[in-house]
Amino acid sequence: MGQIGNEVARILTKTFPDKVRMCCLSAVAAGSKTHVDIFRKARAVIAINGCQLMCASKVLREKGIAPTYEIVVAKEGVDKLPTLDFDEEDVQRIANKISTEFIQKFQQ
């Protein structure tokens, strides 16, 4: 599920280079001031969670950052695979959902 979230973030960054930026969530969890500041200064924060544990959202909240938009890949009809493989159609569908529900509306 995390692989899908990562790929979705990459697509959104490429599609909206002036509006979307990926940032290392592991660095945020580790307390990197540089990375935490990137999130704190952002106009909006999209948390792409792989499963219902919502680790991305939790890491952000633990650092005092409230996600503006959250999604859980596992709740989007994606089957968890025991490999790092993923279906490109799932990736594109979720990227389109985030774009339609949030990015395009946020920029208005």
Side-chain angles (χ1 to χ4, degrees):
M1 300 295 174
Q3 289 295 98
I4 291 174
N6 182 64
E7 193 63 23
V8 167
R10 292 168 47 87
I11 287 172
L12 294 174
T13 301
K14 289 178 184 177
T15 304
F16 303 99
D18 57 331
K19 294 180 179 37
V20 176
R21 174 181 179 188
M22 287 178 68
C23 187
C24 181
L25 194 60
S26 297
V28 172
S32 166
K33 181 178 178 344
T34 300
H35 292 83
V36 170
D37 286 346
I38 288 169
F39 277 102
R40 287 198 174 132
K41 292 175 184 174
R43 290 184 3 176
V45 174
I46 300 170
I48 304 173
N49 296 283
C51 70
Q52 292 87 340
L53 292 176
M54 297 185 69
C55 295
S57 295
K58 287 179 182 176
V59 165
L60 293 169
R61 284 194 174 88
E62 286 175 3
K63 299 299 178 185
I65 302 158
T68 314
Y69 179 91
E70 299 171 278
I71 191 165
V72 178
V73 172
K75 291 182 179 179
E76 297 301 320
V78 177
D79 294 325
K80 187 170 186 171
L81 300 174
T83 67
L84 296 178
D85 298 330
F86 54 84
D87 186 334
E88 281 294 333
E89 289 180 17
D90 288 334
V91 171
Q92 196 58 57
R93 182 172 46 80
I94 294 168
N96 289 342
K97 179 177 180 163
I98 295 170
S99 173
T100 302
E101 289 184 355
F102 181 72
I103 295 172
Q104 291 176 6
K105 291 178 181 177
F106 182 76
Q107 64 188 3
Q108 295 175 358

